[in-house]
Amino acid sequence: MSVGISDWGGVPASWNRRHLLGIEGLSADEITLILEQAERFRAVLMRDKGYENNDRKIPLLAGKTCVNLFFENSTRTKTSFSLAARRLGMDVVDFSASTSSLSKGETFIDTVKNLEAMQVDAIVVRHSCPGTAMLLAENIRANVLNAGDGAHEHPTQALLDILTIRQRFGRIAGLTVALVGDIAHSRTARSNIWGLKTLGANVILCGPSTLVSRHWESLGVSVSYSLDKILDRVDVFNLLRIQFERQVIRPFPSTREYSHLYGMDAGRLSRTKSDVLIIAPGPINRGLEVTPDVADGQHSAILDQVTNGVAVRMAALWMCINEKK
Ligand code: ASP
């Protein structure tokens, strides 16, 4: 029997959030609900048998409109939010900040209120200012999904990372996950820490002391300044990009030195667990945080993460808009 829109079911009764602003504050049950819905949407995307039409679409949100409001560059997040909305049958509008009336002096909130007056249902926002998504949610009626606010949070990135880990290991609790690199400026790191800790993983932050402060330990994570020392006790390495665009001062003398000390290469990989998983939020800088052979090798799930990104964003849109059919 095929499963289609009529027997998809409603948003789980225990989900009652209109916005996805961050992972901080979500319960383990809420995170798990999103992951479970994302698995179902992934099956539609992958044309797994059992789904009607077999066209990678399930128009649960037909007639609704989503605006992509990106004030920072994006490849994966913007494209996959657009695709996710379209797979759910939504109309999608891409807002171009640089050619808008913002450059004529209109305030951010006025711009968004004008967009909302056009009767949009959801706004996906990325901005360099921490708190932008929260500000929007407090000022407009539409559902707000945070696609990255400065170095603060990137909730859908963490959810897709966690989904990828869960697919590989079947669990999160008890795993040791190392976030390696520019913790100080990474919104991916923050969202991952909240999500992984809430689901019971052990989290190690690893990088140079200029990018990983001991203050992070107050969040219940451990800190290591040596990648070599933790290689054999980690299940998942999440290799974070050096966020040059957010750094005010250079945090290390040279990128060559950084990759020598913190880059994941074949030599280091050979000293990890045999079933180690390598993930990275992208964009990856080949040769800096990870060498090409490792990025493209059998332990890497970097492209699975991208597939999961569409599924997670479908789940987040559907659950926040909370349209029960
Ligand atoms: N794409 C992720 C972000 O927007 C990670 C990165 O840019 O390094 O935060």
Side-chain angles (χ1 to χ4, degrees):
M1 196 190 76
S2 74
V3 178
I5 186 165
S6 52
D7 33 28
W8 187 264
V11 170
S14 49
W15 177 264
N16 54 20
R17 291 185 187 262
R18 298 191 57 242
H19 310 292
L20 182 63
L21 305 179
I23 301 292
E24 184 181 5
L26 292 188
S27 67
D29 284 349
E30 286 175 307
I31 296 172
T32 306
L33 280 181
I34 306 179
L35 299 179
E36 279 165 3
Q37 294 304 320
E39 291 281 14
R40 296 177 73 205
F41 284 121
R42 188 183 150 105
V44 176
L45 287 175
M46 303 309 282
R47 289 178 162 154
D48 278 3
K49 287 193 185 65
Y51 288 94
E52 109 190 346
N53 295 336
N54 205 21
D55 61 0
R56 306 189 202 278
K57 278 197 176 186
I58 182 136
L60 295 162
L61 296 176
K64 303 272 176 194
T65 305
C66 175
V67 175
N68 268 332
L69 197 60
F70 277 61
F71 294 87
E72 279 191 334
N73 296 340
S74 175
T75 301
R76 280 148 292 271
T77 307
K78 190 170 173 187
T79 312
S80 62
F81 258 119
S82 289
L83 259 179
R86 291 197 168 96
R87 300 287 193 217
L88 290 165
M90 299 181 84
D91 295 317
V92 181
V93 178
D94 279 326
F95 173 85
S96 163
S98 58
T99 55
S100 74
S101 287
L102 280 162
S103 59
K104 298 183 190 169
E106 186 169 69
T107 69
F108 178 65
I109 293 293
D110 279 341
T111 300
V112 177
K113 287 206 161 165
N114 277 269
L115 291 173
E116 196 180 36
M118 298 176 204
Q119 307 306 312
V120 306
D121 300 285
I123 296 188
V124 174
V125 62
R126 168 172 288 190
H127 199 285
S128 56
C129 253
T132 304
M134 170 80 85
L135 180 72
L136 276 192
E138 283 168 353
N139 280 280
I140 62 172
R141 289 184 319 274
N143 308 94
V144 178
L145 291 100
N146 183 4
D149 57 334
H152 178 222
E153 279 233 34
H154 192 353
T156 53
Q157 178 69 55
L159 290 167
L160 72 90
D161 293 344
I162 292 170
L163 182 63
T164 307
I165 299 170
R166 206 179 76 147
Q167 280 165 354
R168 193 62 73 95
F169 291 95
R171 67 189 166 100
I172 299 296
L175 293 177
T176 298
V177 181
L179 304 173
V180 182
D182 187 353
I183 309 298
H185 304 94
S186 171
R187 52 194 174 208
T188 297
R190 276 171 186 73
S191 294
N192 261 276
I193 291 169
W194 296 122
L196 290 166
K197 290 297 302 172
T198 302
L199 295 180
N202 307 308
V203 178
I204 304 177
L205 308 181
C206 179
S209 58
T210 44
L211 291 173
V212 191
S213 156
R214 288 253 175 232
H215 288 112
W216 290 90
E217 287 171 346
S218 63
L219 298 180
V221 300
S222 49
V223 166
S224 168
Y225 296 118
S226 164
L227 180 57
D228 289 317
K229 283 194 182 148
I230 62 169
L231 287 174
D232 60 355
R233 59 190 170 96
V234 169
D235 299 294
V236 183
F237 287 94
N238 192 344
L239 307 175
L240 305 180
R241 186 177 64 88
I242 303 297
Q243 311 272 301
F244 290 110
E245 71 276 26
R246 292 189 213 291
Q247 294 166 358
V248 183
I249 48 163
R250 271 180 84 101
F252 42 76
S254 75
T255 51
R256 215 165 126 207
E257 183 190 79
Y258 178 85
S259 68
H260 179 65
L261 292 172
Y262 296 102
M264 183 60 78
D265 58 16
R268 289 204 166 102
L269 189 67
S270 69
R271 285 151 51 208
T272 60
K273 292 187 176 184
S274 57
D275 62 347
V276 74
L277 184 66
I278 303 290
I279 59 174
I284 55 170
N285 286 310
R286 290 173 180 266
L288 182 51
E289 68 266 10
V290 58
T291 53
D293 51 335
V294 175
D296 304 329
Q298 55 163 346
H299 291 279
S300 165
I302 293 175
L303 292 179
D304 291 338
Q305 289 173 269
V306 180
T307 307
N308 285 335
V310 181
V312 156
R313 287 165 181 134
M314 287 174 83
L317 282 166
W318 180 62
M319 290 170 74
C320 288
I321 296 173
N322 204 9
E323 201 50 30
K324 297 190 173 87
K325 295 267 172 178

